[in-house]
Amino acid sequence: MCGEFQKAHEGDEVIVMGWVQSYRDLGGAVFLDIRDRTGLVQVVFDESSHQTAHAIADRVRAEWVVGIKGKVRSRGTNTNPNLPTGEVEILAQYIQVFNPAKTPPFAIEDGVDTAEEKRLEYRYLDLRRPEVQKNFIVRSKINQIVRNNLTSQGFLELETPFMVKYTPGGARNFLVPSRLNPGQFYALAESPQLYKQLFMISGMDRYFQIVKCFRDEDLRQDRQPEFTQIDLEMSFAEMEDIHRVMENVMRSIFREVLSTELPERFPVMSYDEAMTRFGSDKPDLRFGLEHTVLTELIRSHDGGGVPLFREVVASGGMVKAMRIPGRHNLSRTETDKLELEAKGVGAQGLGRAKVAEDGAWTQSPFAKVITEELRLAINQAVGAEPNDLILFQFGAPKLVHTVMSHLRLLLGRKLELIAKNEWKILWVVDFPLFEHDERTGRYVAAHHPFTSPRPEDVEKLTSDPKSVKARAYDLVLNGNEIAGGSIRIHDADVQAKAFEALGISEEERKAKFGFLLEALQYGAPPHAGIAAGMDRIAMLLSGAQSLRDVIPFPKTQRGTDLLTSAPTTVDAAQLQELCIKTTV
RNA sequence: GGGGUGGUAGUUAAGUUGGUUAUAACGCCGGCCUGUCACGCCGGAGGCCGCGGGUUCAAGUCCCGUCCACCCCGCCA
């Protein structure tokens, strides 16, 4: 293999096959760098000693595929310290051109800044680049580690269907028409959720699968329409058991891929605490800039002379502040930019106050009207010191969290507060079981409808649904949600109450989940599970910037494949056979 | 559905207050060169300035629309 030639091979007769990385034609001598997956090696063609080979090499160009027979020899004083194989070269005796190549649209080398559009159009060329291949080598490793680890923890690798029953709710489904059943459709599985619960009822005990899932939702840097989960489920398991299994998996991945030790047990934070301090249920703990909720403080001062504060608090809104230490010295212009960013994610504006030596506020719309008592109380609450900048956001809690969390991440990056090679992993627990859907006015399952409430909250399912906490947990790594799971309901009464709270009628339950509800009555063990985002884990561990960098053939943000140009229209005959009429 | 960034040779970019023939680097093609490795030297080709419309004597540049890629909100675990 190209990348493996060393001094020890001197004098060996060898054959190398690969792609021409570069050629340097000096007239009587031609140098070719030959590349394969393992690296580069220099081959020299000498006109005086091997005329035929030299004549062929003279015509060879970048990315041609060639095979070369020759002898390894020392480079003497002409070594190349930048190349692992730089102490030796191959003196070519014969060369065979397996295939010439068109000039590639971009150079096949690391560090190129070709537009992603072009890279995806010629993905097979992009994938030739070592730094791109590196990500997939990491990914392959993770696959092996997960299989070995979970198998050794007693899990069975079992498969579930991709073509499944359509159940609305949750993520949008991709549909697959059934030719044999005109007018009817399968859905591509959003996850193997229901099947893995059936496995538990089957006595499969411990199940895992590295499995593709499909969701027809809008794409993001960390979201693709088809993605891979490390999915597992365990019978007779409490939250603690799932955490230990997953911690074990993550520790082995980090140890073997990065030679990094994660803690034996991962820290745990409640959802409420995460939202309060960071405005996010996936807090990045690698830096500070924590939030302070001022709602109650302001209420106790009756708005402190600031009409806006008073109105917001009176109408059930929230006030949050974030302190930017004075050493960061944000300019007026930079703060204005922050306001634009805030508006970009839905804010009306961005309140601000610069703290003076005596604790007074300057550059602030509140400075003139706010009472000294409230001003000092706020300074104290956020821990403000002279020269600090305080940013404020007020309004509906959801929006306040979104805006402040967005600004926190933005500033964390901009102010370079995030250390390289630092890993902060934690569990976030005690999620609300339900979320209120603004449009329908109903409650919807925050996780999925089979998630168990905390035992102490069961009574509140009917009386006070929004205060019920779920026995659900997310694993968060450097501000990325990399896994999520829950204890499942195995009690028919509790399940009925949950459906009631969700406003799902008896009929609807039967139609959608009848098979599972039926199965739960045949001796279902208590069970729990979790699903981890394989792509996200691969992205974070390989240092990739986007999920697309760890998926060999990813989709664009509009869900298209620039290489094959999928999706496309299909033949009328095909549609007719499927009894499908399109309206576009 | 909404907010933002970008689109100029094969690639990456520059292009001023609108003004002659749209620049540069790398790559590509031809020639020379036996120790290069970002090889060097000489010469050359290469453009629907994303697309459509408008303003203007004149548009890469200004205006409107549209397409594509990316980032974010909504949506989605």
Side-chain angles (χ1 to χ4, degrees), chain A residues 5-38:
Chain A
F5 290 106
Q6 294 299 322
K7 265 216 138 97
H9 300 101
E10 259 176 57
D12 291 359
E13 293 271 347
V14 297
I15 292 173
V16 291
M17 290 181 261
W19 286 259
V20 175
Q21 175 69 40
S22 62
Y23 62 92
R24 294 175 293 281
D25 182 357
L26 276 66
V30 172
F31 296 91
L32 298 186
D33 290 340
I34 305 299
R35 181 194 70 238
D36 65 16
R37 212 178 72 183
T38 61

Side-chain angles (χ1 to χ4, degrees), chain A residues 277-278 287-291 321-325 328 404 407-413 415 417:
Chain A
R277 290 172 58 193
F278 306 99
F287 65 101
L289 299 182
E290 293 194 19
H291 301 166
M322 176 163 59
R323 179 181 80 96
I324 320 292
H328 298 307
M404 291 299 263
L407 292 180
R408 175 174 178 267
L409 293 175
L410 208 70
L411 285 166
R413 278 191 290 265
L415 303 175
L417 303 177

